[in-house]
Amino acid sequence: MLQDNEFVPRVIHIDITGKCNFTCLHCRGRFSEDMLELSKTKKILKNIFLHWKSDLKWLEIGGGEPLLHKDLPAILAFIKSQDKDVKIIVVSNGSLFTEGYAKKLKASGMTRIQFSLDGVNAETHNWLRQNNRSFELVLRAIDIAKRNNIDFVLRMTINKRNQDQIERFFKFGKEKGAVELGLRGCIYVANAENNYDELSLDKESYAEILKKLPTLSKKYDMPYFSGDPLALVANTELVAEIERRYGSLDVYSGCSVGISYMYINNKGNVSFCPMLNNLEIADLGNRDIKDVWDSCPEFVQMRKRNMGGRCAHCTYLKLCGGCCAYGYWKEKKLFAENPICSFFVEKMVKEV
């Protein structure tokens, strides 16, 4: 948990390409097909390590589909040449992860790979991915990772079709040997907005799912993460522990954009977050990355937790931080109230 003076990026996500071999119903991107050239990627990475070598813990390499980038192994190797201790996770749909590619990525310094798995059966997963071999290919990718002793994460986007598969997902992940699971509700931007009726869960159903995640994690001895600030709020044991440890809930956690997390899109520009990849807030072609981090108005506002609507008056405001991507979907502006939250807790205000 962060205090006010500890704002440094500990996780940076870079989308190295907008190209993808799938057309998923829930895809967050209306990407250009730009690929970050190796030279430009190196320039960005050098600037990152110049300022935050001692702070950065993880680099996330995504897309599009990052395995379509011909220089992916070279990018990973360059990262390790700058800092041998930084951890690297590649975020993939798994379809192109062959035996040969696995060996290359491991040799280049990849710490983990994340595979998308949006259902525990072919019917559900293939429907969302719009590819009738997707489930078969991700199972192959899992087997390849295991044979090559590569840690892997399985990531599910929760939606109407797979909401009854959450426990089976935990069981599946444990049986397959995943080191962690990722679960987050669908954010209705880009393709997902076009397919809202087929994907959307009501906020009460989603809240009940989030409340069950800590129990399922214990039952199957399977760590999980979400990325959705609401998952933290739904974890009542964790909230109580934070309050005991710090004496209040006035502690930064939840949405970490501008707090400990930065996102760079496939044009090499800083965008607000991966879910709003086209909402660019700084061009790294003419600004130093630390200047962006320190003074970009959007990051400053996130640190102030200056949210709109009921979020502004919620007991969990600092701990959660809302979700600007959900708010942007609903109101087409940043820092709007999170429209899918059912955990609002109003502060008691004494009138004098």
PDB file of all heavy atoms in Angstrom, residues 24-28 118 124 127-130 157-163 185-202 206:
ATOM      1  N   CYS A  24     -11.666 -10.709 -31.243  1.00  0.00           N
ATOM      2  CA  CYS A  24     -12.459 -11.080 -30.070  1.00  0.00           C
ATOM      3  C   CYS A  24     -13.627 -10.116 -29.844  1.00  0.00           C
ATOM      4  O   CYS A  24     -13.510  -8.908 -30.062  1.00  0.00           O
ATOM      5  CB  CYS A  24     -11.570 -11.101 -28.834  1.00  0.00           C
ATOM      6  SG  CYS A  24     -10.174 -12.240 -28.973  1.00  0.00           S
ATOM      7  N   LEU A  25     -14.730 -10.680 -29.384  1.00  0.00           N
ATOM      8  CA  LEU A  25     -15.936  -9.886 -29.171  1.00  0.00           C
ATOM      9  C   LEU A  25     -15.737  -8.808 -28.117  1.00  0.00           C
ATOM     10  O   LEU A  25     -16.404  -7.778 -28.144  1.00  0.00           O
ATOM     11  CB  LEU A  25     -17.093 -10.802 -28.743  1.00  0.00           C
ATOM     12  CG  LEU A  25     -17.588 -11.818 -29.770  1.00  0.00           C
ATOM     13  CD1 LEU A  25     -18.706 -12.665 -29.172  1.00  0.00           C
ATOM     14  CD2 LEU A  25     -18.080 -11.123 -31.036  1.00  0.00           C
ATOM     15  N   HIS A  26     -14.834  -9.049 -27.169  1.00  0.00           N
ATOM     16  CA  HIS A  26     -14.671  -8.127 -26.046  1.00  0.00           C
ATOM     17  C   HIS A  26     -13.403  -7.292 -26.143  1.00  0.00           C
ATOM     18  O   HIS A  26     -13.031  -6.622 -25.178  1.00  0.00           O
ATOM     19  CB  HIS A  26     -14.642  -8.919 -24.738  1.00  0.00           C
ATOM     20  CG  HIS A  26     -13.428  -9.797 -24.594  1.00  0.00           C
ATOM     21  ND1 HIS A  26     -13.056 -10.685 -25.571  1.00  0.00           N
ATOM     22  CD2 HIS A  26     -12.513  -9.915 -23.606  1.00  0.00           C
ATOM     23  CE1 HIS A  26     -11.955 -11.313 -25.172  1.00  0.00           C
ATOM     24  NE2 HIS A  26     -11.602 -10.873 -23.991  1.00  0.00           N
ATOM     25  N   CYS A  27     -12.716  -7.296 -27.279  1.00  0.00           N
ATOM     26  CA  CYS A  27     -11.414  -6.640 -27.392  1.00  0.00           C
ATOM     27  C   CYS A  27     -11.489  -5.170 -26.981  1.00  0.00           C
ATOM     28  O   CYS A  27     -12.372  -4.442 -27.426  1.00  0.00           O
ATOM     29  CB  CYS A  27     -10.881  -6.755 -28.815  1.00  0.00           C
ATOM     30  SG  CYS A  27      -9.253  -5.997 -29.018  1.00  0.00           S
ATOM     31  N   ARG A  28     -10.531  -4.763 -26.161  1.00  0.00           N
ATOM     32  CA  ARG A  28     -10.485  -3.393 -25.649  1.00  0.00           C
ATOM     33  C   ARG A  28     -10.000  -2.392 -26.689  1.00  0.00           C
ATOM     34  O   ARG A  28     -10.120  -1.191 -26.500  1.00  0.00           O
ATOM     35  CB  ARG A  28      -9.541  -3.319 -24.448  1.00  0.00           C
ATOM     36  CG  ARG A  28      -8.094  -3.684 -24.779  1.00  0.00           C
ATOM     37  CD  ARG A  28      -7.201  -3.551 -23.556  1.00  0.00           C
ATOM     38  NE  ARG A  28      -5.905  -4.190 -23.714  1.00  0.00           N
ATOM     39  CZ  ARG A  28      -4.847  -3.622 -24.264  1.00  0.00           C
ATOM     40  NH1 ARG A  28      -4.938  -2.398 -24.761  1.00  0.00           N
ATOM     41  NH2 ARG A  28      -3.700  -4.272 -24.335  1.00  0.00           N
ATOM     42  N   ASP A 118     -11.019 -17.734 -21.637  1.00  0.00           N
ATOM     43  CA  ASP A 118     -12.288 -17.110 -21.273  1.00  0.00           C
ATOM     44  C   ASP A 118     -13.435 -18.097 -21.118  1.00  0.00           C
ATOM     45  O   ASP A 118     -14.606 -17.724 -21.167  1.00  0.00           O
ATOM     46  CB  ASP A 118     -12.634 -16.029 -22.298  1.00  0.00           C
ATOM     47  CG  ASP A 118     -11.643 -14.889 -22.243  1.00  0.00           C
ATOM     48  OD1 ASP A 118     -11.495 -14.293 -21.164  1.00  0.00           O
ATOM     49  OD2 ASP A 118     -10.979 -14.611 -23.254  1.00  0.00           O
ATOM     50  N   THR A 124     -17.492 -21.929 -25.056  1.00  0.00           N
ATOM     51  CA  THR A 124     -17.482 -20.575 -24.485  1.00  0.00           C
ATOM     52  C   THR A 124     -16.276 -19.779 -24.956  1.00  0.00           C
ATOM     53  O   THR A 124     -16.401 -18.631 -25.404  1.00  0.00           O
ATOM     54  CB  THR A 124     -17.475 -20.652 -22.945  1.00  0.00           C
ATOM     55  OG1 THR A 124     -18.555 -21.467 -22.508  1.00  0.00           O
ATOM     56  CG2 THR A 124     -17.613 -19.263 -22.339  1.00  0.00           C
ATOM     57  N   TRP A 127     -16.270 -18.956 -28.756  1.00  0.00           N
ATOM     58  CA  TRP A 127     -17.289 -17.949 -29.080  1.00  0.00           C
ATOM     59  C   TRP A 127     -16.754 -16.543 -28.817  1.00  0.00           C
ATOM     60  O   TRP A 127     -16.843 -15.652 -29.677  1.00  0.00           O
ATOM     61  CB  TRP A 127     -18.551 -18.185 -28.246  1.00  0.00           C
ATOM     62  CG  TRP A 127     -19.498 -17.015 -28.249  1.00  0.00           C
ATOM     63  CD1 TRP A 127     -20.347 -16.643 -29.248  1.00  0.00           C
ATOM     64  CD2 TRP A 127     -19.649 -16.043 -27.208  1.00  0.00           C
ATOM     65  NE1 TRP A 127     -21.033 -15.500 -28.899  1.00  0.00           N
ATOM     66  CE2 TRP A 127     -20.630 -15.108 -27.648  1.00  0.00           C
ATOM     67  CE3 TRP A 127     -19.069 -15.875 -25.952  1.00  0.00           C
ATOM     68  CZ2 TRP A 127     -21.023 -14.022 -26.876  1.00  0.00           C
ATOM     69  CZ3 TRP A 127     -19.465 -14.796 -25.171  1.00  0.00           C
ATOM     70  CH2 TRP A 127     -20.432 -13.883 -25.638  1.00  0.00           C
ATOM     71  N   LEU A 128     -16.156 -16.330 -27.652  1.00  0.00           N
ATOM     72  CA  LEU A 128     -15.667 -15.004 -27.316  1.00  0.00           C
ATOM     73  C   LEU A 128     -14.493 -14.605 -28.208  1.00  0.00           C
ATOM     74  O   LEU A 128     -14.361 -13.443 -28.608  1.00  0.00           O
ATOM     75  CB  LEU A 128     -15.243 -14.954 -25.849  1.00  0.00           C
ATOM     76  CG  LEU A 128     -15.052 -13.556 -25.273  1.00  0.00           C
ATOM     77  CD1 LEU A 128     -16.370 -12.796 -25.228  1.00  0.00           C
ATOM     78  CD2 LEU A 128     -14.422 -13.604 -23.896  1.00  0.00           C
ATOM     79  N   ARG A 129     -13.658 -15.580 -28.543  1.00  0.00           N
ATOM     80  CA  ARG A 129     -12.468 -15.311 -29.350  1.00  0.00           C
ATOM     81  C   ARG A 129     -12.761 -15.327 -30.850  1.00  0.00           C
ATOM     82  O   ARG A 129     -11.892 -14.970 -31.660  1.00  0.00           O
ATOM     83  CB  ARG A 129     -11.395 -16.351 -29.027  1.00  0.00           C
ATOM     84  CG  ARG A 129     -10.910 -16.273 -27.586  1.00  0.00           C
ATOM     85  CD  ARG A 129      -9.896 -15.181 -27.397  1.00  0.00           C
ATOM     86  NE  ARG A 129      -9.879 -14.669 -26.030  1.00  0.00           N
ATOM     87  CZ  ARG A 129      -9.083 -13.707 -25.596  1.00  0.00           C
ATOM     88  NH1 ARG A 129      -8.245 -13.134 -26.431  1.00  0.00           N
ATOM     89  NH2 ARG A 129      -9.126 -13.293 -24.362  1.00  0.00           N
ATOM     90  N   GLN A 130     -13.963 -15.779 -31.224  1.00  0.00           N
ATOM     91  CA  GLN A 130     -14.356 -15.806 -32.635  1.00  0.00           C
ATOM     92  C   GLN A 130     -13.370 -16.615 -33.482  1.00  0.00           C
ATOM     93  O   GLN A 130     -13.013 -16.231 -34.605  1.00  0.00           O
ATOM     94  CB  GLN A 130     -14.487 -14.380 -33.173  1.00  0.00           C
ATOM     95  CG  GLN A 130     -15.616 -13.577 -32.524  1.00  0.00           C
ATOM     96  CD  GLN A 130     -16.991 -14.058 -32.927  1.00  0.00           C
ATOM     97  OE1 GLN A 130     -17.451 -13.808 -34.032  1.00  0.00           O
ATOM     98  NE2 GLN A 130     -17.660 -14.781 -32.021  1.00  0.00           N
ATOM     99  N   THR A 157     -11.839 -12.952 -18.832  1.00  0.00           N
ATOM    100  CA  THR A 157     -12.702 -11.776 -18.811  1.00  0.00           C
ATOM    101  C   THR A 157     -14.114 -12.256 -18.497  1.00  0.00           C
ATOM    102  O   THR A 157     -14.728 -12.994 -19.272  1.00  0.00           O
ATOM    103  CB  THR A 157     -12.684 -11.039 -20.160  1.00  0.00           C
ATOM    104  OG1 THR A 157     -11.343 -10.593 -20.427  1.00  0.00           O
ATOM    105  CG2 THR A 157     -13.602  -9.835 -20.128  1.00  0.00           C
ATOM    106  N   ILE A 158     -14.618 -11.855 -17.341  1.00  0.00           N
ATOM    107  CA  ILE A 158     -15.917 -12.331 -16.860  1.00  0.00           C
ATOM    108  C   ILE A 158     -17.034 -11.666 -17.659  1.00  0.00           C
ATOM    109  O   ILE A 158     -17.069 -10.442 -17.821  1.00  0.00           O
ATOM    110  CB  ILE A 158     -16.088 -12.025 -15.364  1.00  0.00           C
ATOM    111  CG1 ILE A 158     -14.951 -12.660 -14.555  1.00  0.00           C
ATOM    112  CG2 ILE A 158     -17.435 -12.531 -14.858  1.00  0.00           C
ATOM    113  CD1 ILE A 158     -14.889 -12.186 -13.111  1.00  0.00           C
ATOM    114  N   ASN A 159     -17.961 -12.478 -18.146  1.00  0.00           N
ATOM    115  CA  ASN A 159     -19.090 -11.961 -18.925  1.00  0.00           C
ATOM    116  C   ASN A 159     -20.296 -12.876 -18.746  1.00  0.00           C
ATOM    117  O   ASN A 159     -20.248 -13.855 -17.987  1.00  0.00           O
ATOM    118  CB  ASN A 159     -18.695 -11.828 -20.397  1.00  0.00           C
ATOM    119  CG  ASN A 159     -18.331 -13.159 -21.016  1.00  0.00           C
ATOM    120  OD1 ASN A 159     -19.194 -13.961 -21.375  1.00  0.00           O
ATOM    121  ND2 ASN A 159     -17.025 -13.440 -21.132  1.00  0.00           N
ATOM    122  N   LYS A 160     -21.351 -12.563 -19.442  1.00  0.00           N
ATOM    123  CA  LYS A 160     -22.614 -13.285 -19.278  1.00  0.00           C
ATOM    124  C   LYS A 160     -22.474 -14.779 -19.587  1.00  0.00           C
ATOM    125  O   LYS A 160     -23.085 -15.623 -18.928  1.00  0.00           O
ATOM    126  CB  LYS A 160     -23.683 -12.660 -20.185  1.00  0.00           C
ATOM    127  CG  LYS A 160     -25.093 -13.172 -19.959  1.00  0.00           C
ATOM    128  CD  LYS A 160     -26.075 -12.519 -20.923  1.00  0.00           C
ATOM    129  CE  LYS A 160     -26.237 -11.051 -20.644  1.00  0.00           C
ATOM    130  NZ  LYS A 160     -27.249 -10.411 -21.527  1.00  0.00           N
ATOM    131  N   ARG A 161     -21.646 -15.125 -20.568  1.00  0.00           N
ATOM    132  CA  ARG A 161     -21.541 -16.518 -21.006  1.00  0.00           C
ATOM    133  C   ARG A 161     -20.712 -17.386 -20.056  1.00  0.00           C
ATOM    134  O   ARG A 161     -20.924 -18.602 -20.002  1.00  0.00           O
ATOM    135  CB  ARG A 161     -20.918 -16.589 -22.399  1.00  0.00           C
ATOM    136  CG  ARG A 161     -21.797 -16.086 -23.529  1.00  0.00           C
ATOM    137  CD  ARG A 161     -22.809 -17.127 -23.955  1.00  0.00           C
ATOM    138  NE  ARG A 161     -23.513 -16.722 -25.150  1.00  0.00           N
ATOM    139  CZ  ARG A 161     -23.267 -17.184 -26.372  1.00  0.00           C
ATOM    140  NH1 ARG A 161     -22.302 -18.061 -26.557  1.00  0.00           N
ATOM    141  NH2 ARG A 161     -23.958 -16.760 -27.406  1.00  0.00           N
ATOM    142  N   ASN A 162     -19.746 -16.789 -19.361  1.00  0.00           N
ATOM    143  CA  ASN A 162     -18.877 -17.626 -18.513  1.00  0.00           C
ATOM    144  C   ASN A 162     -19.067 -17.395 -17.025  1.00  0.00           C
ATOM    145  O   ASN A 162     -18.307 -17.920 -16.203  1.00  0.00           O
ATOM    146  CB  ASN A 162     -17.400 -17.439 -18.897  1.00  0.00           C
ATOM    147  CG  ASN A 162     -16.892 -16.032 -18.663  1.00  0.00           C
ATOM    148  OD1 ASN A 162     -17.451 -15.267 -17.892  1.00  0.00           O
ATOM    149  ND2 ASN A 162     -15.806 -15.682 -19.340  1.00  0.00           N
ATOM    150  N   GLN A 163     -20.076 -16.621 -16.631  1.00  0.00           N
ATOM    151  CA  GLN A 163     -20.249 -16.277 -15.218  1.00  0.00           C
ATOM    152  C   GLN A 163     -20.469 -17.491 -14.326  1.00  0.00           C
ATOM    153  O   GLN A 163     -20.162 -17.448 -13.128  1.00  0.00           O
ATOM    154  CB  GLN A 163     -21.409 -15.298 -15.057  1.00  0.00           C
ATOM    155  CG  GLN A 163     -22.764 -15.859 -15.481  1.00  0.00           C
ATOM    156  CD  GLN A 163     -23.888 -14.871 -15.241  1.00  0.00           C
ATOM    157  OE1 GLN A 163     -23.997 -14.284 -14.152  1.00  0.00           O
ATOM    158  NE2 GLN A 163     -24.718 -14.650 -16.255  1.00  0.00           N
ATOM    159  N   GLY A 185     -14.105  -8.249 -14.815  1.00  0.00           N
ATOM    160  CA  GLY A 185     -15.297  -8.058 -15.628  1.00  0.00           C
ATOM    161  C   GLY A 185     -14.979  -7.368 -16.936  1.00  0.00           C
ATOM    162  O   GLY A 185     -13.985  -6.660 -17.077  1.00  0.00           O
ATOM    163  N   CYS A 186     -15.843  -7.574 -17.902  1.00  0.00           N
ATOM    164  CA  CYS A 186     -15.677  -6.966 -19.211  1.00  0.00           C
ATOM    165  C   CYS A 186     -15.937  -5.461 -19.110  1.00  0.00           C
ATOM    166  O   CYS A 186     -16.923  -5.024 -18.513  1.00  0.00           O
ATOM    167  CB  CYS A 186     -16.667  -7.602 -20.183  1.00  0.00           C
ATOM    168  SG  CYS A 186     -16.402  -7.160 -21.887  1.00  0.00           S
ATOM    169  N   ILE A 187     -15.022  -4.685 -19.673  1.00  0.00           N
ATOM    170  CA  ILE A 187     -15.216  -3.235 -19.753  1.00  0.00           C
ATOM    171  C   ILE A 187     -15.732  -2.927 -21.147  1.00  0.00           C
ATOM    172  O   ILE A 187     -15.133  -3.315 -22.147  1.00  0.00           O
ATOM    173  CB  ILE A 187     -13.911  -2.487 -19.460  1.00  0.00           C
ATOM    174  CG1 ILE A 187     -13.473  -2.769 -18.019  1.00  0.00           C
ATOM    175  CG2 ILE A 187     -14.094  -0.982 -19.670  1.00  0.00           C
ATOM    176  CD1 ILE A 187     -12.206  -2.078 -17.594  1.00  0.00           C
ATOM    177  N   TYR A 188     -16.828  -2.219 -21.222  1.00  0.00           N
ATOM    178  CA  TYR A 188     -17.574  -2.119 -22.472  1.00  0.00           C
ATOM    179  C   TYR A 188     -17.078  -0.970 -23.345  1.00  0.00           C
ATOM    180  O   TYR A 188     -17.775   0.017 -23.600  1.00  0.00           O
ATOM    181  CB  TYR A 188     -19.062  -2.009 -22.163  1.00  0.00           C
ATOM    182  CG  TYR A 188     -19.513  -3.097 -21.224  1.00  0.00           C
ATOM    183  CD1 TYR A 188     -19.890  -2.809 -19.910  1.00  0.00           C
ATOM    184  CD2 TYR A 188     -19.493  -4.437 -21.625  1.00  0.00           C
ATOM    185  CE1 TYR A 188     -20.259  -3.823 -19.046  1.00  0.00           C
ATOM    186  CE2 TYR A 188     -19.858  -5.448 -20.759  1.00  0.00           C
ATOM    187  CZ  TYR A 188     -20.236  -5.131 -19.470  1.00  0.00           C
ATOM    188  OH  TYR A 188     -20.591  -6.141 -18.605  1.00  0.00           O
ATOM    189  N   VAL A 189     -15.837  -1.124 -23.801  1.00  0.00           N
ATOM    190  CA  VAL A 189     -15.252  -0.180 -24.742  1.00  0.00           C
ATOM    191  C   VAL A 189     -14.902  -0.952 -26.010  1.00  0.00           C
ATOM    192  O   VAL A 189     -14.795  -2.171 -26.013  1.00  0.00           O
ATOM    193  CB  VAL A 189     -13.989   0.489 -24.158  1.00  0.00           C
ATOM    194  CG1 VAL A 189     -14.337   1.323 -22.945  1.00  0.00           C
ATOM    195  CG2 VAL A 189     -12.917  -0.546 -23.797  1.00  0.00           C
ATOM    196  N   ALA A 190     -14.745  -0.217 -27.111  1.00  0.00           N
ATOM    197  CA  ALA A 190     -14.349  -0.813 -28.394  1.00  0.00           C
ATOM    198  C   ALA A 190     -15.291  -1.964 -28.769  1.00  0.00           C
ATOM    199  O   ALA A 190     -16.507  -1.797 -28.755  1.00  0.00           O
ATOM    200  CB  ALA A 190     -12.891  -1.250 -28.343  1.00  0.00           C
ATOM    201  N   ASN A 191     -14.756  -3.145 -29.093  1.00  0.00           N
ATOM    202  CA  ASN A 191     -15.603  -4.262 -29.518  1.00  0.00           C
ATOM    203  C   ASN A 191     -16.639  -4.625 -28.470  1.00  0.00           C
ATOM    204  O   ASN A 191     -17.773  -4.997 -28.794  1.00  0.00           O
ATOM    205  CB  ASN A 191     -14.750  -5.504 -29.818  1.00  0.00           C
ATOM    206  CG  ASN A 191     -14.008  -5.403 -31.127  1.00  0.00           C
ATOM    207  OD1 ASN A 191     -14.027  -4.368 -31.781  1.00  0.00           O
ATOM    208  ND2 ASN A 191     -13.345  -6.476 -31.526  1.00  0.00           N
ATOM    209  N   ALA A 192     -16.268  -4.558 -27.206  1.00  0.00           N
ATOM    210  CA  ALA A 192     -17.187  -4.948 -26.133  1.00  0.00           C
ATOM    211  C   ALA A 192     -18.418  -4.051 -26.088  1.00  0.00           C
ATOM    212  O   ALA A 192     -19.517  -4.510 -25.757  1.00  0.00           O
ATOM    213  CB  ALA A 192     -16.468  -4.922 -24.793  1.00  0.00           C
ATOM    214  N   GLU A 193     -18.253  -2.789 -26.424  1.00  0.00           N
ATOM    215  CA  GLU A 193     -19.406  -1.889 -26.456  1.00  0.00           C
ATOM    216  C   GLU A 193     -20.371  -2.303 -27.566  1.00  0.00           C
ATOM    217  O   GLU A 193     -21.596  -2.257 -27.393  1.00  0.00           O
ATOM    218  CB  GLU A 193     -18.948  -0.448 -26.665  1.00  0.00           C
ATOM    219  CG  GLU A 193     -20.081   0.565 -26.580  1.00  0.00           C
ATOM    220  CD  GLU A 193     -19.576   1.993 -26.549  1.00  0.00           C
ATOM    221  OE1 GLU A 193     -18.486   2.259 -27.071  1.00  0.00           O
ATOM    222  OE2 GLU A 193     -20.294   2.847 -25.994  1.00  0.00           O
ATOM    223  N   ASN A 194     -19.828  -2.747 -28.687  1.00  0.00           N
ATOM    224  CA  ASN A 194     -20.672  -3.195 -29.794  1.00  0.00           C
ATOM    225  C   ASN A 194     -21.414  -4.490 -29.469  1.00  0.00           C
ATOM    226  O   ASN A 194     -22.433  -4.790 -30.084  1.00  0.00           O
ATOM    227  CB  ASN A 194     -19.826  -3.416 -31.049  1.00  0.00           C
ATOM    228  CG  ASN A 194     -19.186  -2.133 -31.558  1.00  0.00           C
ATOM    229  OD1 ASN A 194     -19.703  -1.038 -31.309  1.00  0.00           O
ATOM    230  ND2 ASN A 194     -18.064  -2.255 -32.243  1.00  0.00           N
ATOM    231  N   ASN A 195     -20.879  -5.262 -28.523  1.00  0.00           N
ATOM    232  CA  ASN A 195     -21.472  -6.558 -28.165  1.00  0.00           C
ATOM    233  C   ASN A 195     -22.006  -6.564 -26.735  1.00  0.00           C
ATOM    234  O   ASN A 195     -22.049  -7.611 -26.075  1.00  0.00           O
ATOM    235  CB  ASN A 195     -20.417  -7.665 -28.337  1.00  0.00           C
ATOM    236  CG  ASN A 195     -19.954  -7.793 -29.770  1.00  0.00           C
ATOM    237  OD1 ASN A 195     -20.709  -8.179 -30.650  1.00  0.00           O
ATOM    238  ND2 ASN A 195     -18.690  -7.446 -30.019  1.00  0.00           N
ATOM    239  N   TYR A 196     -22.427  -5.393 -26.285  1.00  0.00           N
ATOM    240  CA  TYR A 196     -22.839  -5.212 -24.896  1.00  0.00           C
ATOM    241  C   TYR A 196     -23.939  -6.194 -24.478  1.00  0.00           C
ATOM    242  O   TYR A 196     -23.862  -6.809 -23.410  1.00  0.00           O
ATOM    243  CB  TYR A 196     -23.316  -3.774 -24.685  1.00  0.00           C
ATOM    244  CG  TYR A 196     -23.859  -3.506 -23.305  1.00  0.00           C
ATOM    245  CD1 TYR A 196     -23.009  -3.242 -22.247  1.00  0.00           C
ATOM    246  CD2 TYR A 196     -25.245  -3.525 -23.063  1.00  0.00           C
ATOM    247  CE1 TYR A 196     -23.507  -3.001 -20.977  1.00  0.00           C
ATOM    248  CE2 TYR A 196     -25.741  -3.283 -21.803  1.00  0.00           C
ATOM    249  CZ  TYR A 196     -24.872  -3.026 -20.756  1.00  0.00           C
ATOM    250  OH  TYR A 196     -25.368  -2.802 -19.506  1.00  0.00           O
ATOM    251  N   ASP A 197     -24.958  -6.361 -25.290  1.00  0.00           N
ATOM    252  CA  ASP A 197     -26.095  -7.199 -24.907  1.00  0.00           C
ATOM    253  C   ASP A 197     -25.685  -8.652 -24.681  1.00  0.00           C
ATOM    254  O   ASP A 197     -26.245  -9.329 -23.812  1.00  0.00           O
ATOM    255  CB  ASP A 197     -27.195  -7.132 -25.973  1.00  0.00           C
ATOM    256  CG  ASP A 197     -27.875  -5.776 -26.013  1.00  0.00           C
ATOM    257  OD1 ASP A 197     -27.790  -5.040 -25.009  1.00  0.00           O
ATOM    258  OD2 ASP A 197     -28.468  -5.445 -27.051  1.00  0.00           O
ATOM    259  N   GLU A 198     -24.720  -9.134 -25.456  1.00  0.00           N
ATOM    260  CA  GLU A 198     -24.280 -10.519 -25.321  1.00  0.00           C
ATOM    261  C   GLU A 198     -23.305 -10.729 -24.174  1.00  0.00           C
ATOM    262  O   GLU A 198     -23.179 -11.833 -23.650  1.00  0.00           O
ATOM    263  CB  GLU A 198     -23.621 -10.991 -26.621  1.00  0.00           C
ATOM    264  CG  GLU A 198     -24.560 -11.078 -27.811  1.00  0.00           C
ATOM    265  CD  GLU A 198     -23.829 -11.580 -29.035  1.00  0.00           C
ATOM    266  OE1 GLU A 198     -23.248 -10.755 -29.753  1.00  0.00           O
ATOM    267  OE2 GLU A 198     -23.819 -12.801 -29.255  1.00  0.00           O
ATOM    268  N   LEU A 199     -22.635  -9.658 -23.756  1.00  0.00           N
ATOM    269  CA  LEU A 199     -21.561  -9.783 -22.768  1.00  0.00           C
ATOM    270  C   LEU A 199     -21.936  -9.324 -21.370  1.00  0.00           C
ATOM    271  O   LEU A 199     -21.404  -9.838 -20.378  1.00  0.00           O
ATOM    272  CB  LEU A 199     -20.343  -8.966 -23.219  1.00  0.00           C
ATOM    273  CG  LEU A 199     -19.650  -9.384 -24.506  1.00  0.00           C
ATOM    274  CD1 LEU A 199     -18.651  -8.309 -24.935  1.00  0.00           C
ATOM    275  CD2 LEU A 199     -18.944 -10.711 -24.330  1.00  0.00           C
ATOM    276  N   SER A 200     -22.840  -8.369 -21.265  1.00  0.00           N
ATOM    277  CA  SER A 200     -22.978  -7.605 -20.031  1.00  0.00           C
ATOM    278  C   SER A 200     -23.612  -8.398 -18.890  1.00  0.00           C
ATOM    279  O   SER A 200     -24.533  -9.189 -19.074  1.00  0.00           O
ATOM    280  CB  SER A 200     -23.812  -6.346 -20.279  1.00  0.00           C
ATOM    281  OG  SER A 200     -25.130  -6.694 -20.670  1.00  0.00           O
ATOM    282  N   LEU A 201     -23.036  -8.157 -17.692  1.00  0.00           N
ATOM    283  CA  LEU A 201     -23.602  -8.650 -16.436  1.00  0.00           C
ATOM    284  C   LEU A 201     -24.184  -7.470 -15.682  1.00  0.00           C
ATOM    285  O   LEU A 201     -23.636  -6.361 -15.737  1.00  0.00           O
ATOM    286  CB  LEU A 201     -22.499  -9.261 -15.562  1.00  0.00           C
ATOM    287  CG  LEU A 201     -21.976 -10.638 -15.897  1.00  0.00           C
ATOM    288  CD1 LEU A 201     -20.779 -10.946 -14.997  1.00  0.00           C
ATOM    289  CD2 LEU A 201     -23.050 -11.681 -15.709  1.00  0.00           C
ATOM    290  N   ASP A 202     -25.267  -7.683 -14.940  1.00  0.00           N
ATOM    291  CA  ASP A 202     -25.739  -6.599 -14.087  1.00  0.00           C
ATOM    292  C   ASP A 202     -24.764  -6.455 -12.915  1.00  0.00           C
ATOM    293  O   ASP A 202     -24.050  -7.397 -12.549  1.00  0.00           O
ATOM    294  CB  ASP A 202     -27.164  -6.860 -13.594  1.00  0.00           C
ATOM    295  CG  ASP A 202     -27.267  -8.097 -12.724  1.00  0.00           C
ATOM    296  OD1 ASP A 202     -26.955  -8.001 -11.523  1.00  0.00           O
ATOM    297  OD2 ASP A 202     -27.637  -9.164 -13.248  1.00  0.00           O
ATOM    298  N   TYR A 206     -22.235  -9.221 -10.798  1.00  0.00           N
ATOM    299  CA  TYR A 206     -20.784  -9.078 -10.849  1.00  0.00           C
ATOM    300  C   TYR A 206     -20.209  -8.923  -9.440  1.00  0.00           C
ATOM    301  O   TYR A 206     -19.185  -9.521  -9.095  1.00  0.00           O
ATOM    302  CB  TYR A 206     -20.421  -7.876 -11.719  1.00  0.00           C
ATOM    303  CG  TYR A 206     -18.938  -7.656 -11.886  1.00  0.00           C
ATOM    304  CD1 TYR A 206     -18.080  -8.702 -12.206  1.00  0.00           C
ATOM    305  CD2 TYR A 206     -18.382  -6.382 -11.729  1.00  0.00           C
ATOM    306  CE1 TYR A 206     -16.714  -8.491 -12.373  1.00  0.00           C
ATOM    307  CE2 TYR A 206     -17.023  -6.169 -11.896  1.00  0.00           C
ATOM    308  CZ  TYR A 206     -16.193  -7.230 -12.209  1.00  0.00           C
ATOM    309  OH  TYR A 206     -14.842  -7.016 -12.365  1.00  0.00           O
TER     310      TYR A 206
END
